[in-house]
Amino acid sequence: MSSAALPGRRRVSRVAHKRAIAVFVAPFAALFTLFYLLPIAYAVFQSTRVVEREGTFGPPREVFGGLTQYAQALQSSPFWDSIGRVLLFGIVQVPVMLALALVFALLLDSPLVRGRRFFRLAFFVPYAVPGVIAAIMWGFLYSPNLSPFRPLTQSVDLLSAELVLWAMANVVTWVFVGYNMLIIYSSLLAIPAEVYEAARLDGASQVRIAWSIKIPLVMPAIILTAIFSIIGTLQLLAEPQVFRTFSSAVTSTFTPNLLVYSTASVPNVPLAAAFSVLLALATFVLSFTFLKVTQRKAFQ
């Protein structure tokens, strides 16, 4: 076989590989465009529209309004109140949830703990419960008249304006701590056993191994779960929506997503779209800033 024929064959092989890649990527690209890119583009388009009427009782029609809806959204005090509320929620709830997930993962990875399969399943089971069902269940547990723990719920009103946010934080923690624990635990399983053996030969205890070896090595997994948690905090919807039926303290503007939902139900779709775009931008900025700050500290 002459060497001149090889380049031609290589080109054919590369073309075939490109076609195979295109065939495998096409279903994902189609679904990604249909259910992700197009809805985002439509939301941005809707946020630039305004509703006009000819006269007081004329038929409404949508026209291009530029940044009118964004100006109205940025001047909305309920929007900023809801942003501040979920930020306070995240500052307290996310560290507590991730700390519990890390402790549970370290316990499952410890040789001193027995029944790992049982506890791994027990910690993860709440995540299998749909968020709406979990919120309804906890709402009944919090209710002073319906809870089986009436002495507690009647003396401490967990559905009051001062405590309802933290009552929802408990629900979110209960649901997602097992999910985050599984991510961290999977990262712990990827650490070579030789690292632990070397530490034991140096006389390190289990606590010392966990603090000096395990936690630093699983830090990328902790950062990943933190970013997921930040995104989930700003998208809080199911829990406040359900808790509205249990507590009058939860209003239609309690969280940003609840504000978007209630605004679209008025209906005022263009303003709700503007709220959604601003919320998406805030989520991106917070998660990206957190990622950059943690990466910078990791390389220092």
Side-chain angles (χ1 to χ4, degrees), residues 4 9 47 49 57 80 143 190 258 272 274 300:
R9 290 197 173 187
S47 66
R49 314 294 289 177
F57 301 102
W80 291 111
S143 179
L258 198 55
Q300 285 179 353

Side-chain angles (χ1 to χ4, degrees), residues 45-46 48-66 68-69 267-271:
F45 169 77
Q46 280 290 334
T48 61
R49 314 294 289 177
V50 294
V51 178
E52 290 185 351
R53 294 178 182 271
E54 295 182 0
T56 306
F57 301 102
R61 62 190 183 93
E62 289 187 357
V63 297
F64 179 75
T68 303
Q69 300 294 353
N268 192 346
V269 176
L271 182 57

Side-chain angles (χ1 to χ4, degrees), residues 52-95:
E52 290 185 351
R53 294 178 182 271
E54 295 182 0
T56 306
F57 301 102
R61 62 190 183 93
E62 289 187 357
V63 297
F64 179 75
L67 301 178
T68 303
Q69 300 294 353
Y70 290 99
Q72 185 177 350
L74 291 173
Q75 294 173 1
S76 173
S77 57
F79 176 70
W80 291 111
D81 291 342
S82 64
I83 290 290
R85 196 174 290 114
V86 295
L87 288 179
L88 177 62
F89 177 96
I91 290 172
V92 177
Q93 188 269 337
V94 171

